[in-house]
Amino acid sequence: MTEDDHENAITKSMTEFKEGLRRHEHPLQVVREFITHGSCTVISQAQHALLRERVAAELSIHPNRDVYTVGSAKLGFSIKPSRRYGHFNDESDIDVAVVSAELYNRVWQEVRSFISSKEVWSNRRKDEFKRQHLVGRISPKTIPKGSSLLPSAEKLWELEIRLQRERIAGPYRVTFAIWHDMEALEGYQAKTVSDCQKMEMI
């Protein structure tokens, strides 16, 4: 994809997304049309399928039911308040949402064992972990690295490195978040979409 093709794809995606914001009454409808369904704007359909298949195989989950690209890679632009409608660029990551109660609970049990061990965990990362855990999300980057008590998180970090090294998603870094269930993922996305809808109505 040339740079012009890349920008044209993002512009088209943004136009359709904003139209969807106005067309749908409920933000969850927008989430299901544009975020948890369909292709990924910034990588090819073949790359997107390979990425999902590879993640699913590594984590023993289903590629179509449990693996989703989200964020600016999915749409071609961010909808987070701090970067709303800022385009995906060479510094951006491919954000992958893994929806698996089994994996989520396994990581959580490991974190509980880690807490009981009194090993070092920075307050900044610990506080971010708590905030995410409240909405049913766990990001490996909030968990301390290098502990034998956290093998599932270590596996995710190693997978991120391998996917980038093998350029499964082109030159972009892949990052993970584990969601307890689909309701948690969609609910989180719907809050941000709701803010976008309010802006479109002004």
Side-chain angles (χ1 to χ4, degrees), residues 123-149:
N123 287 332
R124 181 180 63 82
R125 283 190 173 189
K126 186 188 297 184
D127 289 345
E128 181 60 23
F129 176 89
K130 290 176 181 177
R131 282 193 291 271
Q132 293 188 13
H133 186 42
L134 285 173
V135 296
R137 174 186 180 188
I138 294 176
S139 295
K141 65 183 179 182
T142 66
I143 300 172
K145 291 184 178 181
S147 172
S148 61
L149 297 173

Side-chain angles (χ1 to χ4, degrees), residues 56-194:
E58 292 280 351
L59 301 179
S60 301
I61 54 179
H62 194 283
N64 295 328
R65 183 192 61 223
D66 304 326
V67 184
Y68 301 86
T69 51
V70 294
S72 60
K74 172 64 177 177
L75 296 169
F77 53 89
S78 177
I79 58 173
K80 293 192 298 188
S82 60
R83 286 197 64 237
R84 185 168 290 134
Y85 299 133
H87 285 200
F88 184 93
N89 57 55
D90 291 341
E91 303 301 316
S92 302
D93 299 330
I94 306 286
D95 296 321
V96 173
V98 174
V99 180
S100 169
E102 181 180 352
L103 178 58
Y104 186 99
N105 291 333
R106 183 162 68 245
V107 174
W108 171 228
Q109 289 300 321
E110 292 172 7
V111 168
R112 291 178 64 184
S113 296
F114 180 86
I115 293 170
S116 298
S117 75
K118 307 295 184 183
E119 289 192 34
V120 177
W121 191 358
S122 73
N123 287 332
R124 181 180 63 82
R125 283 190 173 189
K126 186 188 297 184
D127 289 345
E128 181 60 23
F129 176 89
K130 290 176 181 177
R131 282 193 291 271
Q132 293 188 13
H133 186 42
L134 285 173
V135 296
R137 174 186 180 188
I138 294 176
S139 295
K141 65 183 179 182
T142 66
I143 300 172
K145 291 184 178 181
S147 172
S148 61
L149 297 173
L150 299 165
S152 296
E154 287 286 343
K155 181 175 182 177
L156 289 167
W157 289 318
E158 291 168 2
L159 180 56
E160 287 180 358
I161 293 169
R162 288 202 306 276
L163 291 173
Q164 184 172 16
R165 185 185 299 132
E166 296 168 22
R167 297 175 68 88
I168 298 296
Y172 307 114
R173 180 171 176 248
V174 176
T175 60
F176 293 104
I178 313 302
W179 292 86
H180 184 271
D181 50 55
M182 198 63 184
E183 183 178 1
L185 171 61
E186 290 185 328
Y188 179 86
Q189 297 290 335
K191 289 179 181 178
T192 307
V193 166
S194 178

Side-chain angles (χ1 to χ4, degrees), residues 17-18 20-27 30 79 81 84-85 189-202:
F17 178 76
K18 289 184 175 181
L21 293 175
R22 295 186 291 270
R23 174 164 42 86
H24 290 301
E25 180 178 353
H26 198 284
V30 180
I79 58 173
R84 185 168 290 134
Y85 299 133
Q189 297 290 335
K191 289 179 181 178
T192 307
V193 166
S194 178
D195 290 339
C196 292
Q197 283 183 308
K198 290 172 184 174
M199 285 188 62
E200 287 300 306
M201 301 306 174
I202 294 176

